[in-house]
Amino acid sequence: MRTLWMALCALAHLWPGALGGCAEAGRCCPGRDPACFARGWRLDRVYGTCFCDQACRLTGDCCFDYARACPARPCFVGEWSPWSGCADQCKPTIRVRRRSVRQEPQNGGAPCPPLEERAGCLEYATRQGQDCAHAFVPAFITTSAFNKERTRQAASPQWSTHTEDAGYCMEFKTESLTPHCALENRPLTRWMQYLREGYTVCVDCQPPAMNSVSLRCSGDGLDSDGNQTLHWQAIGNPRCQGTWKKVRRVDHCSCPAVHSFIFI
């Protein structure tokens, strides 16, 4: 029987129309389609009605040439667009980037990945160029990775591109946080999962979050005596927020990456 089956497969390659199947019928259908059938040998070595739809792999009634006639093609997407600007000024909001589908998945190929990503952001000036950083209370934070993307000139007209300031780092001990932080699983907000009560975290103060006059970040708690409960909120999910107490100010942050954030 095995020899007969191998002979049939060889015959199909030499003379595709001899055994019927998907190629001869010219059929390849998505999902489960009872009308997407042909006459020919099935993969279970039974001759008769066989199917050329995507679900035939699960039901075991594919035509013998389904894999060759209807190859799986994965989804292909293009490159990410540049990040948009913040949706609004002078308050926590979001920025967006998108990508488009270059090829839809076919015949059970890998599905398309997410086509849109959102991340929190905050702009420090109105559309008229007026500084509004003084209005930001409590401390708004995001992952330290964001510091690699933002530019001083784009984020705040108060800072010259030639301004060189080392900034500073604030260490806090987290006191409480809402359960919404642990629920975040989106790629650009997953960092919130690592916020934990009782841990020491580092928050970097750099331009443009640093006020160009006071050289401080809003909500930095620098004037606190260490016993005062301070409030923070994660950019990208306003329900992820909590309290912490100041530990100390240092020149450079040295916390692990998952516990390193920036004022924004």
Side-chain angles (χ1 to χ4, degrees):
M1 187 65 177
R2 179 178 177 82
T3 302
L4 175 60
W5 183 249
M6 294 177 62
L8 290 172
C9 291
L11 180 59
H13 284 284
L14 295 174
W15 185 16
L19 302 177
C22 301
E24 182 180 1
R27 292 178 177 247
C28 288
C29 310
R32 184 56 170 171
D33 185 353
C36 190
F37 64 88
R39 295 288 296 177
W41 287 94
R42 299 193 328 209
L43 290 177
D44 58 5
R45 304 178 185 180
V46 174
Y47 186 87
T49 300
C50 57
F51 289 85
C52 305
D53 59 0
Q54 182 181 334
C56 73
R57 292 182 181 271
L58 299 177
T59 55
D61 53 7
C62 296
C63 294
F64 74 98
D65 66 341
Y66 175 78
R68 177 169 53 85
C70 307
R73 292 187 173 88
C75 175
F76 285 110
V77 296
E79 298 295 325
W80 286 110
S81 68
W83 283 104
S84 69
C86 291
D88 208 342
Q89 285 73 40
C90 297
K91 65 179 181 180
T93 182
I94 60 169
R95 58 198 175 110
V96 181
R97 66 176 181 175
R98 298 181 175 89
R99 56 186 173 184
S100 59
V101 176
R102 298 288 178 84
Q103 175 183 285
E104 295 284 355
Q106 299 176 11
N107 306 322
C112 295
L115 301 178
E116 180 179 286
E117 285 188 339
R118 298 185 174 211
C121 70
L122 185 59
E123 288 189 356
Y124 294 82
T126 66
R127 290 187 173 88
Q128 291 73 37
Q130 296 176 328
D131 182 72
C132 55
H134 63 277
F136 300 146
V137 175
F140 292 103
I141 63 170
T142 189
T143 172
S144 59
F146 179 61
N147 206 35
K148 300 175 183 178
E149 299 179 26
R150 66 182 181 182
T151 59
R152 298 175 181 178
Q153 186 66 21
S156 174
Q158 305 298 320
W159 286 97
S160 165
T161 54
H162 301 294
T163 300
E164 293 295 336
D165 193 285
Y168 58 94
C169 177
M170 294 299 301
E171 292 183 0
F172 300 95
K173 184 174 182 179
T174 54
E175 297 283 316
S176 67
L177 68 158
T178 59
H180 299 93
C181 303
L183 301 178
E184 275 295 344
N185 198 35
R186 293 173 293 170
L188 295 173
T189 55
R190 195 172 292 141
W191 59 271
M192 299 178 195
Q193 295 181 353
Y194 301 102
L195 288 162
R196 296 286 190 275
E197 295 179 1
Y199 278 72
T200 297
V201 299
C202 295
V203 188
D204 203 9
C205 178
Q206 297 286 345
M210 180 186 290
N211 184 278
S212 60
V213 177
S214 67
L215 300 183
R216 289 180 54 182
C217 288
S218 180
D220 64 5
L222 195 58
D223 300 325
S224 168
D225 61 6
N227 293 316
Q228 181 181 357
T229 298
L230 307 170
H231 294 265
W232 58 266
Q233 179 178 313
I235 291 293
N237 180 359
R239 294 186 296 177
C240 176
Q241 53 185 279
T243 61
W244 55 26
K245 290 183 178 179
K246 183 188 79 172
V247 176
R248 60 175 180 164
R249 167 179 168 162
V250 294
D251 290 335
H252 302 287
C253 291
S254 59
C255 294
V258 294
H259 294 149
S260 296
F261 310 101
I262 60 170
F263 292 104
I264 186 171

